[in-house]
Amino acid sequence: MPKPTDTDSPAIQGDIRLDSSVKSTMYYIGGVPVHFPFVPYPSQLGMMNHMIRALNKAQNTMIESPTGSGKSLALLCATLAWRQSFVVRQRKMQENVRQIITRFCMHNTMLLRSRYGSNGTDADPDKKPDAMETHASEKPDILSNNYSFVTLQARAQTLQSETVDFILDTSKKQTLVGLSKDDLATLGEYQDAGKSATQRPRIFFGTRTHKQVAQLVNELRSKTPYRLRTAVLGSRAQTCTHPKAKRAESVDDTCRQLRDDNNCGAYTGFRRVLGSKKLAEGGELEIWDLEDIVSVARPLVACSYYASRELAATAKLVFCPYNYILDPAVRKAVGIELEGNIVILDEAHNIENAARDAGSFEVSDLQLASLAHECSGMFDHGILRNEHLVLKSLADTLAAWLQRDGAAFEYCDYETQTSVWPKPECSVDTLLTDLALTPDYISQVKSAQAKIEDYIASLRTQSNEHGPEDPELLPRDKHVSAGALRVVEGLLRVLKHVAHGSKFATDFRIAVVRHPNPELRTSQKRKRQSVFESKPAFINTLSFWTMNPGVVFSEIAEQTRSIVLTSGTLSPLDSYASELQVDFASTLEANHVIAPSRFCALAVECGPSGVRLEAKYRTSDQLEFQDDVGEAIRAIAARSPDGMLVFMPSYALLNKLIARWEATGRLAEIRSHKTVFVEPQGGTKDQFDKLLLSYRKHLSEPNETGAVMFGVFRGKVSEGIDFSDHFCRTVVNIGIPFPAFKDVKVMLKREYNNEHTMLLNGSKWYDIQAFRAVNQALGRCLRHKDDWGAIIMLEARFVQNANIARLSKWVRGHMRVFGRFENAKQYLDAFYDERISEDAKDMPQVLDAEENVTIVLDE
């Protein structure tokens, strides 16, 4: 398609409006006019140019840009500007094609009649001439057979793509009057574009959490002038307002039951939200987040969850957590259509693991027993007896096999036993045959599921027709639950992939995992044996683990126009293309917007006493190592202003070091400089939020010496939390967080990669997982261009160039290596002094504080 120019017709416009009340400046980037709220950083210009080039070519791309570099704003502006330009070019091309077809019709009437007249392939001899055929203005030489020229031309324009094919095919056989070579070239370009010549690409912008979705929405509406129909997809837990569902253990299941029983007035009235003027084009909430739609729906006694799904069906830009895009079942449930559209996945550093999880499926014997029980009830009520009997047979067969006596488990740890197929003596095909899961039987299950779903849909239709006055149309004893159907759907999805002949058959491992029933775990519950006597001692889980994230991701890539992976910490980039089985035509590693003088990055080989700082399994138990790490932390805490984060590879090492420092008095010395917070292992979200709030509150109060938060790589503190400015001036990393070496899934993945030469070998894949976690932790500080801070690697292995090369670009180019801690400390002290001196006018005066304390939540 031709690039837009300043001479483009002003009559041809896109379908995204610009809000003149939002200050912005237009920049031509890659030939596309981009409206941006301020002068872009060089890294933002690079990102937008890179993005636009990839979208123009319908390619996939990866962009790594450090947090604080304005990545989200650049992505939004570039994508929306490109779409606006693309639609203008589409419309201009369609107008050109329309004019060419008109000229063809005027000068090639015999060909027009042969194609669309009564003797043509599309003619309808039984149809009588319409009123246009007798219009006085018709030319008598064109009136022929049963159709007038106006009718034939209208048909040629309506069937535009078909007409273009006809003209181009005919032009190869004869010269067409009235059409130039440029006209035919334009038609050829239109033909080559295919669906993209007419389809308006929609944008699905996925990120990791609902909170990050809300941040993206706020960026779009408060900082950019772009105005268009948007939507946000969220969970029922985020949007449901029904009091019974909100109190339930499972909001999803309770919501579905209330809906099916026609006992939710909000669901029956969710369409009232669609007519809200606030959400309409030009309304105050035209760009909305989940809180906004809940505020609109609540006074209308309407369901914001189903309203948001309905609005998303027609939105040009849809925000959602990225598992909504990755998980085939979720994608189907919420109605996400990816064909020809654009997918942007932000915070995509965990995308490989997320895709593997989305392609896998697990079901316990308790879930299978529940499915069998529900199907038995339907059978007893005479409802689709054959179909429910098929599903009951499937559930009973699998549950009995899981609970069989004498099962052998080749992987055993403290509590969990695991058996994995294929085995040397038993292939997956043999296992499926032993379980009678033949292709014919699976086909029966699929047919039974379809009939049951149709039956439930018909019940729901009847319920909607009768209205809320008749709540008995969907009583619970008339259909199985949504949860039961999800079990069947999940089994069918993975059985399709593991079946003989499937291209993904060798990409799965089937496992049986046996572990103690958590409901019987505490001694208090064991004492109340009479209450739990019906509870099994163990839970058995049938797992279908995909080793190949491409099982789900390649399907997404086949449908979309472009996929954009972006994060502050994608490095190392090596594995994405091979693991996801997607061709990324380009990659960009952007520089940080922060001046190099505002941060320092250090790698230290030896501690204050000269002990080599190498937090490996065999060295981390040595008391000399533990003590020297503690002294290094104390020395850094004594000089680091404000907040400080310390990350370790595991909770085991974290707890071990805290216990040692408590015993030796080192922790008390650290407390004399910083109030100590410790990230708890496990616990609820509310508990962690409370801990984080205490940390922030402590640092926000005047006259405090600061705080240190101890956490672990891949933990809650290390990902997705903004510790800008005084909330984090120092990040200390101890060790390298390699995945658990003896974890069954890790071992299977390493073996799988070693068996497939197109993938990174198992060792390299294993290493990459560790360094991605390190890079993610490094990004907790330095959140904007005026921020500053220090990054300290208390790990001898980071003095090696090979390991430094695996860090993000913005870090590895500035890493200073020190053999002795004293030398590193001198450099660090000078850095702190310089930064504190420059910021002195903004720093609160430090007064004597009360004794600091250690704050940690119980698990």
Side-chain angles (χ1 to χ4, degrees):
M1 294 185 182
K3 293 182 179 180
T5 66
D6 292 335
T7 58
D8 285 348
S9 170
I12 300 178
Q13 299 179 354
D15 54 2
I16 298 177
R17 302 179 348 271
L18 293 174
D19 186 347
S20 59
S21 68
V22 179
K23 183 179 178 181
S24 67
T25 304
M26 188 181 73
Y27 301 87
Y28 272 91
I29 303 175
V32 171
V34 180
H35 292 261
F36 208 73
F38 49 81
V39 177
Y41 304 137
S43 61
Q44 289 177 316
L45 285 172
M47 275 187 281
M48 290 190 283
N49 183 56
H50 187 87
M51 185 88 166
I52 288 169
R53 283 167 49 202
L55 294 176
N56 273 333
K57 297 177 182 179
Q59 295 176 336
N60 305 317
T61 188
M62 289 189 287
I63 300 174
E64 180 183 65
S65 182
T67 302
S69 59
K71 169 172 54 73
S72 299
L73 189 61
L75 292 174
L76 286 168
C77 289
T79 307
L80 295 178
W82 174 86
R83 187 188 184 281
Q84 181 82 324
S85 175
F86 182 79
V87 170
V88 169
R89 285 179 286 162
Q90 274 186 324
R91 289 177 172 175
K92 185 173 183 179
M93 173 176 277
Q94 288 173 309
E95 176 60 21
N96 290 340
V97 169
R98 190 191 66 78
Q99 293 176 7
I100 293 170
I101 291 175
T102 297
R103 289 197 296 276
F104 167 78
C105 293
M106 291 296 298
H107 296 284
N108 300 273
T109 55
M110 293 298 294
L111 288 172
L112 179 66
R113 285 199 298 271
S114 71
R115 185 71 184 91
Y116 294 119
S118 59
N119 295 324
T121 58
D122 283 60
D124 184 357
D126 297 325
K127 182 177 179 181
K128 294 182 179 180
D130 59 25
M132 290 187 291
E133 297 180 67
T134 60
H135 197 280
S137 65
E138 289 289 1
K139 298 180 180 180
D141 62 315
I142 294 178
L143 286 169
S144 174
N145 300 324
N146 294 332
Y147 291 94
S148 72
F149 173 75
V150 173
T151 302
L152 294 174
Q153 180 175 258
R155 175 169 287 191
Q157 294 286 6
T158 301
L159 302 174
Q160 194 175 74
S161 295
E162 185 178 312
T163 303
V164 168
D165 293 342
F166 174 67
I167 293 173
L168 290 174
D169 288 343
T170 306
S171 70
K172 298 174 184 177
K173 305 170 187 175
Q174 65 184 80
T175 301
L176 299 176
V177 180
L179 300 188
S180 66
K181 289 183 178 180
D182 288 343
D183 290 336
L184 294 177
T186 297
L187 295 183
E189 190 176 353
Y190 177 88
Q191 186 183 60
D192 292 342
K195 288 183 179 180
S196 68
T198 55
Q199 180 182 352
R200 306 285 188 261
R202 301 173 68 210
I203 302 160
F204 292 92
F205 203 130
T207 189
R208 203 165 60 90
T209 65
H210 287 294
K211 182 178 180 180
Q212 290 163 338
V213 167
Q215 291 170 347
L216 285 169
V217 171
N218 184 58
E219 289 263 290
L220 176 61
R221 85 176 146 200
S222 65
K223 295 183 180 179
T224 83
Y226 294 102
R227 295 295 176 263
L228 70 163
R229 180 177 287 276
T230 66
V232 178
L233 290 171
S235 66
R236 288 176 173 87
Q238 296 281 329
T239 54
C240 181
T241 57
H242 194 288
K244 183 176 179 180
K246 292 294 286 183
R247 292 193 304 268
E249 182 176 347
S250 171
V251 177
D252 287 346
D253 290 342
T254 306
C255 168
R256 292 186 182 99
Q257 194 62 62
L258 290 167
R259 180 199 64 186
D260 288 350
D261 289 351
N262 210 5
N263 281 333
C264 181
Y267 168 71
T268 58
F270 77 85
R271 288 183 176 82
R272 289 192 287 268
V273 177
L274 310 184
S276 170
K277 292 182 179 179
K278 290 183 178 180
L279 302 176
E281 183 176 313
E284 60 182 285
L285 296 178
E286 178 182 12
I287 298 173
W288 50 269
D289 63 16
L290 294 180
E291 290 183 358
D292 294 326
I293 198 168
V294 169
S295 70
V296 171
R298 195 187 300 272
L300 297 175
V301 194
C303 177
S304 51
Y305 174 76
Y306 283 99
S308 64
R309 285 175 53 171
E310 192 80 7
L311 290 168
T314 56
K316 299 179 181 72
L317 171 59
V318 178
F319 297 103
C320 60
Y322 57 54
N323 69 296
Y324 283 48
I325 298 170
L326 295 178
D327 193 311
V330 177
R331 193 164 68 237
K332 176 183 176 182
V334 299
I336 291 178
E337 298 290 343
L338 298 179
E339 186 69 38
N341 293 322
I342 298 164
V343 168
I344 303 172
L345 299 176
D346 196 9
E347 299 297 326
H349 47 276
N350 288 327
I351 205 69
E352 293 174 13
N353 293 335
R356 278 203 307 275
D357 290 343
S360 302
F361 180 74
E362 297 183 344
V363 60
S364 71
D365 51 0
L366 297 183
Q367 290 174 295
L368 291 168
S370 177
L371 169 62
H373 177 74
E374 291 188 39
C375 290
S376 180
M378 296 302 103
F379 182 88
D380 293 342
H381 282 83
I383 300 171
L384 295 177
R385 301 187 73 178
N386 290 338
E387 287 73 17
H388 284 106
L389 190 59
V390 169
L391 299 192
K392 180 180 184 300
S393 172
L394 172 68
D396 284 338
T397 298
L398 295 179
W401 180 71
L402 286 174
Q403 297 167 349
R404 70 194 185 284
D405 295 328
F409 297 94
E410 57 267 33
Y411 302 98
C412 299
D413 61 21
Y414 177 66
E415 288 190 328
T416 304
Q417 300 168 297
T418 307
S419 185
V420 180
W421 286 261
K423 302 176 186 294
E425 71 279 8
C426 182
S427 67
V428 169
D429 287 342
T430 301
L431 173 65
L432 296 178
T433 301
D434 291 345
L435 293 173
L437 295 176
T438 63
D440 288 343
Y441 182 70
I442 292 173
S443 179
Q444 291 180 42
V445 174
K446 188 174 182 180
S447 176
Q449 178 212 26
K451 290 181 180 179
I452 291 171
E453 286 185 341
D454 289 344
Y455 163 74
I456 295 175
S458 68
L459 289 181
R460 190 169 293 125
T461 300
Q462 295 174 28
S463 173
N464 291 336
E465 289 173 353
H466 286 76
E469 297 82 14
D470 189 358
E472 297 302 322
L473 284 171
L474 282 179
R476 299 189 181 189
D477 59 354
K478 292 294 184 184
H479 67 92
V480 294
S481 67
L485 288 177
R486 287 199 303 276
V487 168
V488 178
E489 182 180 354
L491 284 169
L492 286 174
R493 175 169 57 82
V494 291
L495 287 173
K496 175 186 71 174
H497 289 318
V498 301
H500 181 74
S502 165
K503 67 176 181 178
F504 296 124
T506 61
D507 296 328
F508 279 81
R509 300 294 180 264
I510 299 177
V512 174
V513 181
R514 179 170 293 176
H515 59 85
N517 189 337
E519 293 189 35
L520 302 178
R521 177 162 295 179
T522 66
S523 58
Q524 183 178 6
K525 287 184 176 179
R526 289 195 185 100
K527 290 178 182 178
R528 295 169 10 213
Q529 186 63 39
S530 60
V531 178
F532 295 99
E533 57 187 8
S534 61
K535 298 287 185 181
F538 293 91
I539 301 235
N540 302 281
T541 301
L542 175 60
S543 302
F544 297 82
W545 295 328
T546 177
M547 302 291 104
N548 176 13
V551 170
V552 297
F553 210 86
S554 59
E555 179 185 355
I556 295 172
E558 289 170 3
Q559 298 179 49
T560 54
R561 176 186 176 90
S562 293
I563 296 175
V564 180
L565 298 187
T566 178
S567 176
T569 52
L570 285 177
S571 295
L573 302 177
D574 308 30
S575 68
Y576 286 101
S578 61
E579 285 288 319
L580 299 177
Q581 297 186 3
V582 172
D583 177 31
F584 290 95
S586 60
T587 61
L588 173 68
E589 291 181 89
N591 293 317
H592 214 303
V593 297
I594 295 176
S597 63
R598 298 189 68 82
F599 74 93
C600 73
L602 315 176
V604 185
E605 184 174 8
C606 297
S609 300
V611 175
R612 183 175 171 83
L613 300 178
E614 197 169 20
K616 292 183 176 180
Y617 179 76
R618 65 175 179 270
T619 58
S620 61
D621 280 339
Q622 296 173 3
L623 300 184
E624 296 86 352
F625 167 83
Q626 297 175 11
D627 292 342
D628 230 21
V629 170
E631 173 56 21
I633 296 294
R634 185 209 61 76
I636 296 169
R639 288 305 316 273
S640 172
D642 304 317
M644 175 174 160
L645 303 177
V646 180
F647 293 108
M648 302 188 193
S650 67
Y651 287 106
L653 179 59
L654 172 60
N655 295 334
K656 185 185 301 180
L657 292 181
I658 292 290
R660 172 64 180 175
W661 300 340
E662 186 80 65
T664 61
R666 189 73 72 201
L667 190 61
E669 295 175 6
I670 295 174
R671 283 199 201 106
S672 69
H673 304 293
K674 304 281 186 193
T675 295
V676 175
F677 295 77
V678 180
E679 175 185 344
Q681 183 175 8
T684 66
K685 180 180 181 299
D686 288 342
Q687 286 178 314
F688 176 72
D689 289 345
K690 182 180 178 182
L691 178 70
L692 188 60
L693 180 62
S694 297
Y695 174 84
R696 293 184 183 278
K697 183 179 179 182
H698 185 83
L699 288 168
S700 298
E701 294 174 349
N703 307 320
E704 294 289 354
T705 56
V708 56
M709 173 82 79
F710 288 93
V712 299
F713 296 103
R714 302 188 190 89
K716 301 180 184 70
V717 176
S718 68
E719 297 200 24
I721 298 178
D722 186 345
F723 291 97
S724 60
D725 300 316
H726 63 286
F727 291 120
C728 180
R729 292 300 186 196
T730 305
V731 173
V732 179
N733 290 336
I734 298 170
I736 301 177
F738 292 102
F741 190 80
K742 293 187 178 181
D743 180 271
V744 175
K745 288 185 180 180
V746 171
M747 289 191 289
L748 293 174
K749 175 61 178 170
R750 294 183 66 173
E751 292 172 2
Y752 172 85
N753 276 41
N754 286 333
E755 294 166 0
H756 293 75
T757 57
M758 295 182 65
L759 301 176
L760 297 177
N761 66 53
S763 296
K764 191 169 184 180
W765 170 85
Y766 183 73
D767 290 349
I768 281 176
Q769 308 312 304
F771 286 93
R772 285 216 182 109
V774 170
N775 285 323
Q776 186 64 17
L778 297 183
R780 292 314 90 209
C781 68
L782 305 176
R783 309 293 288 189
H784 57 85
K785 72 178 183 66
D786 296 321
D787 207 347
W788 66 269
I791 292 169
I792 306 163
M793 317 297 283
L794 292 182
E795 170 56 56
R797 285 169 286 181
F798 277 109
V799 305
Q800 302 168 11
N801 289 333
N803 289 331
I804 294 174
R806 294 173 174 178
L807 300 177
S808 294
K809 177 183 177 182
W810 66 273
V811 178
R812 64 176 179 257
H814 301 278
M815 182 66 71
R816 290 177 176 268
V817 174
F818 294 88
R820 300 175 57 194
F821 181 80
E822 304 90 78
N823 297 337
K825 180 70 164 47
Q826 290 175 10
Y827 182 86
L828 185 63
D829 289 348
F831 171 77
Y832 286 144
D833 289 341
E834 180 182 357
R835 298 282 17 121
I836 293 171
S837 175
E838 290 190 12
D839 291 354
K841 61 180 181 297
D842 299 322
M843 295 288 291
Q845 184 180 2
V846 178
L847 303 177
D848 291 337
E850 295 180 2
E851 181 181 359
N852 293 316
V853 296
T854 299
I855 301 177
V856 60
L857 297 182
D858 292 334
E859 296 179 20

